[in-house]
Amino acid sequence: MIEVSLRAFGKIQLFAMSLLLAGMAMAHLPTPLEAEEAAEAAANYQRYCALCHGNDREGYAADNAPSLRSRSLIASGGLGYLYSATYYGRPGTAMAAYGSQFGGPLEQSDLINLVRWLAEESGVEEFLSLPREPIKGDISLGAELYQRDCASCHGAEGEGIDAPALAHPMFLSSVSDAFIRYAIAYGREDTPMIGYAELLEDEELDALTAFLRSRASGWDAPEVALRSPPEAHEYILHPNGETPAFELREGRFVAAESVEQAMRLGQRMVLLDARAMSDWQRAHIPGAVPVPYYREPERFIGDMPDDGTWIIVYCACPHAASGRVVDALRAHGIPNTAIIDEGVIVWTQRGYPIQAGW
Ligand code: HEC
Ligand code: HEC
């Protein structure tokens, strides 16, 4: 499994990772974390992951983030899969890259302990050693079965609806065919993903696996040049512009359309990006200031205007991370705050302005 996962890693990572995860690649779990390391990993989980994956790793706290405690996931994916999914994230979904190389908050050693902790907490006693060979199957049969049985949750194009994006290039580049087939056959306990082993013939499971594999478009770790965030005196966009007349749904949410219009009209406001810093680095709404959901309020509240300038917050989720930041602003008495209702994924799909980084 580890070799397969490493295909996703960039060249520099490859060497360091093979050293660090060497010895963890076997079917047995690595040596248990020391108490202090485990406590630190648990705290990192709460700070960075619980928002979407739930306080107890059960998934679905926000944004259909999958369970991180299903034995099926952890036994079949092992540390390598958990690591690459967290380090690189899934660009285009709410799952950010948490590796520091991309501007994320976690160093490699923290991340390794975090995935070791996830494995320990899951209670899995052994990782499966799944075969690495490609699985052959009838792709056109797989395409038919996919539309019949899977598209309602995973999307007609595998783009993910309320279930993970299976055609995602990063996902497909980090898993073996056997991992995919295992997930289809046995599902993921305590989640909407049932096992199809009893419902489909072996050839049908192979066909679905081969079909999903055929959607891979290749993926390589991106080259990243990190940029500096705006400074406090640059926060207000169009300082001389008029004040926008936003109407809020439930006193909290503003339509993406209204924000886009206010930008076009050169109206005065502050835009905050509540996603992980790496997401801001990758692409953000022009002029947006990164205030990741995991930053302590004391570190950003003081820099916010308190003269009634609108402060508009967004994330991918579309309300979880931005909600946390807006709650902090409101708790500190800052007026005129709102969340972009549809979130930045819909914003991007509509062709509204985006400034791309890596
Ligand atoms: C803003 C919400 C959000 C946060 C915060 C978040 N994730 Fe995720 N995560 C997601 C979503 C959504 C997916 C599924 C993406 C897709 O469609 O493939 C995901 C997928 C994953 C996967 C792949 C799971 C699988 O079943 O294949 C792993 C592993 C993961 N996240 C780990 C983490 C860890 C560890 C953290 C904290 C460092 C974290 N995530 C923080 C939203 C989030
Ligand atoms: C009722 C909705 C639903 C249907 C139908 C469904 N899935 Fe899933 N599937 C999910 C969810 C939700 C997850 C994530 C579960 C978790 O780990 O929390 C998932 C996970 C997966 C995974 C693992 C992805 C990963 O990131 O680890 C694969 C592979 C998969 N499904 C394939 C299929 C295929 C193929 C079919 C059709 C035969 C199918 N699914 C039908 C909801 C569904």
Side-chain angles (χ1 to χ4, degrees), residues 48-49 52-53 65-66 68 73 81 86 90 93-95 98 164-165 293:
Y48 299 114
C49 322
C52 301
H53 291 283
L68 294 183
L73 168 73
Y81 176 73
T86 313
R90 299 274 162 80
T93 76
M95 179 62 197
Y98 284 87
Y293 62 88

Side-chain angles (χ1 to χ4, degrees), residues 103-141:
L106 292 170
E107 298 301 332
Q108 200 172 51
S109 54
D110 298 326
L111 201 42
I112 289 177
N113 284 350
L114 180 54
V115 300
R116 288 171 66 188
W117 178 81
L118 285 172
E120 282 179 17
E121 292 293 302
S122 75
V124 162
E125 275 157 19
E126 273 194 336
F127 296 135
L128 297 164
S129 30
L130 296 174
R132 289 165 193 165
E133 291 73 41
I135 290 175
K136 296 197 185 70
D138 179 344
I139 293 178
S140 53
L141 171 64

